[in-house]
Amino acid sequence: MGPAARLAALLAVLALQAGDLAGVATRGDTFSALTSVARALAPERRLLGLLRRYLRGEEARLRDLTRFYDKVLSLHEDSATPVSNPLLAFTLIKRLQSDWKNVVHSLEASENIRALKDGYEKVEQDLPAFEDLEGAARALMRLQDVYMLSVKGLARGVFQRVTGCAVTDLYSPRRLFSLTGDDCFQVGKVAYDMGDYYHAIPWLEEAVSLFRGSYGEWKTEDEASLEDALDHLAFAYFQVGNISCALSLSREFLLYSPDNKRMARNVLKYEKLLAESPNQAVAEAVIQRPNVPHLQTRDTYEELCQTLGSQPTHYQIPSLYCSYETSSSPYLLLQPVRKEVIHLEPYVVLYHDFVSDTEAQKIRGLAEPWLQRSVVASGEKQLPVEYRISKSAWLKDTVDPVLVTLDHRIASLTGLDVQPPYAEYLQVVNYGIGGHYEPHFDHATSPTSPLYRMNSGNRVATFMIYNAALFWWNLHRSGEGDGDTLHAGCPVLVGDKWVANKWIHEYGQEFRRPCSSSPED
């Protein structure tokens, strides 16, 4: 077995091992949880190993080709008439009839690339799908919107909020990682394909700028080019009514690809439009951000997200207080929980350090193998939606003693029955790139909601844990939903976000939280 064949065999073995990767996220859902994104590193490490071996094989082959080149070149340089020597004449004929054919159609080259392709095909099923690329691109746009981030800054690797002339650094990574022209093009194209030119234009502008700066330096991994970016950007400007920019970009496109008949027709069309309406040449198009139909409180929601967790002080309000809470429970007498009442209507309580770091790590470890794309109630069904991007897992208390302890602690603090069917299993959620949950209610607002299939009534209360824990009532004592419990999860700007929540239902709580006919209770 020759070196090339041995290399191919080794790559095939490695590829088979890579194909056995366990626990890789479902294709199309990788972007929705950061733990899934982290697991995607493993297939790429396998691909790096395959590529390293391919490069070593190619380097050896190229060294041999260089030797052949140098040998033939020296024959041309050393003798003005090499064919006068019959030996040289023979080797010339042999080279042209045989040697060059072997070089051009080198089996070793095809074996090297075939092994690499085979290896890639073995791990391909474990790689993110195109839906993941789309989801990640939309996540960047979401961060851009909610935190008012500069696209130019993001392309350079910095996270800066730009409001008028003010520039605020929201996050300073230890190592700057800038985007390429192809990266920016892919984000812009996702928006472009959705007809969202508000987001497409700034990303395509960055793509054009970066491609211009590196024009002529083709990178193997790139899918797009300067011509692609100019083409899409020109049409995006045309769609929003900026004919002048569309014309300028189309003319620039023809400088690089003068034979493109479609673009030539576009130039003629834009020139005609400007001739018919000269005012369009100086009119500056105002591009409106796409409206989000289901989100009526977008401005308030985004303003709250932009506070980055800061809270107003309420120390002057006597009814808001801190205490060590035992709830008259023997379970809490020896280790009271630090309680802070942070709001009265609706009643919201914060329990500090509700779970330890060890407990939190244990719960995350239990949930991670079961994480699936989060869904919301839609009519009588539960569906994944764009306004909730995360993955969730449901954990029964029988899975591990730490969950039994957690249930006891919640029951002791709230005085409620947290065992099924009077409460749901613990839901653990991990948020992905820009993962979020736009303003929503935890309680059902429709009588056809899937929540009622438990036959235990509506969600009367929520207990949400993120090391600290929040507790609030979703329903008035009359059973009506409390409209002031609208809440949200802001997009994750940097890092990892895990939460766990226990949803407690009406039935089983009749003597723990008695009903009332007063709508104010």
Side-chain angles (χ1 to χ4, degrees), residues 272-507:
K272 182 179 179 182
L273 289 171
L274 288 175
E276 293 171 350
S277 303
N279 292 335
Q280 283 189 302
V282 294
E284 185 173 337
V286 178
I287 309 170
Q288 296 294 327
R289 177 179 166 188
N291 189 27
V292 184
H294 62 268
L295 184 53
Q296 312 244 329
T297 56
R298 182 175 70 182
D299 292 343
T300 303
Y301 159 61
E302 292 183 353
E303 285 172 11
L304 288 170
C305 290
Q306 288 164 17
T307 65
L308 298 180
S310 62
Q311 297 180 14
T313 56
H314 297 300
Y315 303 119
Q316 299 85 357
I317 305 175
S319 54
L320 302 180
Y321 62 93
C322 296
S323 66
Y324 283 99
E325 183 67 31
T326 64
S327 298
S328 301
S329 166
Y331 187 83
L332 297 175
L333 283 175
L334 293 177
Q335 191 174 5
V337 176
R338 292 186 296 158
K339 170 183 175 180
E340 179 182 355
V341 179
I342 60 176
H343 209 275
L344 294 179
E345 293 182 3
Y347 183 73
V348 182
V349 177
L350 175 66
Y351 297 108
H352 292 269
D353 301 316
F354 180 75
V355 294
S356 67
D357 289 342
T358 302
E359 288 174 316
Q361 191 64 41
K362 178 69 174 179
I363 292 168
R364 289 189 341 221
L366 292 170
E368 188 167 346
W370 305 102
L371 290 172
Q372 293 184 342
R373 177 70 184 271
S374 298
V375 296
V376 301
S378 178
E380 297 184 2
K381 298 180 179 180
Q382 296 200 43
L383 302 171
V385 289
E386 184 65 19
Y387 59 85
R388 186 186 187 190
I389 301 296
S390 61
K391 281 190 174 180
S392 309
W394 299 87
L395 299 180
K396 297 181 180 181
D397 60 4
T398 54
V399 170
D400 192 272
V402 72
L403 300 176
V404 177
T405 302
L406 196 67
D407 276 355
H408 285 165
R409 201 176 302 158
I410 296 172
S412 299
L413 277 173
T414 63
L416 300 174
D417 189 338
V418 300
Q419 294 301 308
Y422 307 123
E424 297 172 44
Y425 298 124
L426 186 73
Q427 180 185 226
V428 183
V429 185
N430 181 234
Y431 289 84
I433 306 168
H436 71 142
Y437 197 169
E438 289 180 356
H440 62 282
F441 296 106
D442 282 355
H443 61 274
T445 56
S446 166
T448 61
S449 171
L451 290 178
Y452 290 113
R453 291 177 191 158
M454 291 181 67
N455 297 319
S456 55
N458 208 341
R459 289 172 176 165
V460 67
T462 294
F463 200 95
M464 178 175 287
I465 307 164
Y466 51 100
N467 280 93
L470 278 174
F471 172 78
W472 68 87
W473 299 106
N474 294 308
L475 306 179
H476 293 294
R477 287 183 181 269
S478 63
E480 294 296 317
D482 188 340
D484 290 333
T485 61
L486 189 70
H487 62 286
C490 294
V492 177
L493 181 63
V494 175
D496 211 355
K497 177 180 174 181
W498 290 83
V499 298
N501 47 268
K502 192 80 171 177
W503 280 312
I504 305 163
H505 284 239
E506 293 176 280
Y507 299 175

Side-chain angles (χ1 to χ4, degrees), residues 1-11 53 57-58 60-61 106-113 115:
M1 182 182 290
R6 286 196 298 272
L7 176 62
L10 176 59
L11 288 173
R53 286 159 180 78
E58 283 295 281
R61 189 176 71 86
S106 169
L107 182 60
E108 188 175 12
S110 62
E111 285 179 348
N112 286 351
I113 196 64

